[in-house]
């Protein structure tokens, strides 16, 4: 089968479109023909050797796969050949076929495309748990969402509205992206590429600040975001897309009872009850038309290197997908 893998850390050029042996499903695994694979910042971090946990080489990236069941292991009971499924996995979605543990698979409703389905697991679950589990967003509170036109951002804006947020402040780097965030439900728009965006957020909140902030840029953006927090405010950090790790003095949080909270989705996945409950809730929102998934582009698998470049250019809107 065809796969995309890397054997050394580096830029997009280390990704190679090549041949690999097709996996065979173990007793509790399902073999799927991959129809869509999600592309995420975590994939670029792994490729660069900068991911939260070590990445062993050689490595086939891709943690989201949607497709059709072609074979089941001897002890699989929930799925059969021909079923449409989606899964959040550790790796190996950048391939024509993937062997996936039965317990992490979820059926894809007939009205949902594979491209839409693959946009939901990582970014949908991340947005859900950043806001609800880690950010503890309460009805009426104000939330600040950076990169609000990105994969996590477009879902987070919609979920914040569904969760009852009062003000939803969306930031992005272009007017086009801000317009998209507004269509998703943002109540206030801020261009964080312009000077004075922190003051703009303070004006929107009438000096109070935001109750929950979603931050995945790192570096100076992290420190500037801290300045926007209200008393008892929570800043949830879930990445460092700039490649810069922020440095700050924890003591500054004490005066206003503020929190900086880390988020890592694999920890949520280890709690099967929490994982399944939240995923089903997201699917219900989607089936009811309350949650819309934005596909920024679907590309052939062999163009993975170009898609990584596109993602890291930070000029995209919504989810990027590879199609084997």
């Amino acid at each position: 089968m065809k796969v995309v893998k890397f054997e050394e850390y580096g830029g997009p050029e280390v990704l190679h479109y090549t041949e690999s042996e097709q996996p065979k499903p173990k007793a509790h695994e399902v073999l799927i023909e991959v129809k869509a694979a999600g592309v995420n910042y975590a994939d670029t971090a792994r490729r660069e050797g900068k991911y939260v946990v070590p990445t062993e080489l050689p490595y086939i990236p891709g943690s989201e796969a949607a497709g059709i069941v072609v074979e089941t292991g001897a002890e699989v009971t929930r799925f059969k050949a021909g079923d449409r499924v989606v899964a959040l996995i550790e790796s190996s979605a950048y391939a024509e076929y993937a062997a996936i543990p039965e317990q992490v698979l979820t059926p894809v409703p007939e009205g949902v495309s594979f491209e839409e389905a693959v946009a939901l697991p990582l970014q949908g679950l991340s947005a859900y748990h950043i806001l609800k589990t880690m950010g503890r967003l309460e009805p009426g509170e104000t939330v600040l969402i950076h990169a609000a036109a990105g994969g996590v951002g477009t879902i987070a804006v919609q979920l914040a509205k569904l969760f009852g947020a009062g003000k939803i402040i969306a930031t992005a780097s272009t007017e086009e992206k801000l317009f998209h965030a507004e269509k998703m439900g943002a109540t206030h728009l801020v261009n964080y590429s312009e000077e004075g965006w922190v003051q703009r957020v303070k004006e929107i909140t009438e000096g109070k600040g935001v109750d929950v902030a979603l931050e995945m840029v790192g570096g100076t953006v992290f420190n500037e975001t801290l300045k926007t927090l209200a008393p008892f405010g929570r800043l949830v950090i879930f990445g460092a897309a700039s490649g810069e790790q922020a440095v700050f003095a924890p003591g500054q949080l004490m005066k206003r009872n503020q929190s900086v909270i880390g988020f890592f989705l694999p920890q949520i996945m280890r709690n099967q009850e929490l994982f399944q409950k939240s995923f089903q809730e997201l699917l219900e929102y989607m089936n009811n038309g309350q949650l819309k998934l934005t596909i920024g582009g679907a590309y052939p698998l062999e163009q993975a290197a170009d898609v990584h470049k596109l993602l890291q250019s930070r000029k995209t809107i919504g989810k990027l997908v590879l199609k084997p």
Side-chain angles (χ1 to χ4, degrees), residues 54-280:
T55 300
E56 295 184 8
L57 301 176
Y59 188 81
I60 299 174
S63 55
E64 296 164 304
I68 299 172
V69 175
V70 294
E71 187 180 345
T72 59
E75 298 183 35
V76 169
T77 59
R78 293 174 51 225
F79 299 97
K80 65 183 185 306
D83 286 350
R84 304 170 81 246
V85 294
V86 63
L88 187 61
I89 53 181
E90 288 291 327
S91 65
S92 301
Y94 289 19
E96 290 183 315
Y97 294 88
I100 299 173
E102 177 185 20
Q103 72 267 23
V104 302
L105 286 166
T106 299
V108 175
E110 284 298 329
V112 178
S113 71
F114 289 120
E115 290 87 348
E116 289 174 321
V118 88
L120 190 62
L122 195 151
Q123 289 163 330
L125 286 167
S126 291
Y128 180 102
H129 290 289
I130 290 166
L131 287 168
K132 187 172 250 189
T133 307
M134 310 308 298
R136 307 185 304 281
L137 180 66
E138 295 288 340
E141 288 191 321
T142 296
V143 60
L144 173 66
I145 301 172
H146 283 312
V152 173
T154 55
I155 297 175
V157 168
Q158 295 174 78
L159 290 179
K161 185 176 180 179
L162 288 169
F163 295 160
K167 293 177 180 177
I168 303 170
I169 304 172
T171 80
S173 57
T174 69
E175 292 306 311
E176 180 188 10
K177 291 183 177 183
L178 289 171
F179 177 69
H180 182 74
E182 186 175 35
K183 286 197 300 181
M184 294 296 103
T187 59
H188 297 80
L189 310 175
V190 175
N191 189 324
Y192 67 69
S193 68
E194 298 176 355
E195 289 188 18
W197 72 264
V198 172
Q199 184 58 36
R200 174 71 183 128
V201 171
K202 290 182 178 179
E203 290 170 359
I204 291 169
T205 60
E206 300 175 347
K208 176 178 179 283
V210 303
D211 300 295
V212 180
L214 280 62
E215 208 291 287
M216 48 75 71
V217 181
T220 57
V221 173
F222 171 89
N223 285 289
E224 293 293 286
T225 304
L226 271 183
K227 298 175 185 176
T228 71
L229 285 188
F232 298 94
R234 290 86 69 196
L235 188 159
V236 184
I237 179 170
F238 63 105
S242 67
E244 300 175 22
Q245 291 294 329
V247 177
F248 77 106
Q252 73 191 80
L253 303 172
M254 296 167 58
K255 185 177 179 182
R256 306 182 80 195
N257 285 28
Q258 296 165 333
S259 306
V260 173
I261 304 162
F263 171 79
F264 187 46
L265 185 58
Q267 290 294 345
I268 299 291
M269 291 173 64
R270 293 186 181 110
N271 184 326
Q272 274 296 305
E273 183 179 352
L274 182 61
F275 168 70
Q276 292 294 344
K277 180 178 178 294
S278 55
F279 201 12
Q280 290 303 318

Side-chain angles (χ1 to χ4, degrees), residues 1 15 18 24 58 68 89 107 186 230 235 264 288 293 305:
M1 67 174 182
L15 294 175
T18 185
K24 296 184 182 302
I68 299 172
I89 53 181
L235 188 159
F264 187 46
N288 292 340
L293 303 179

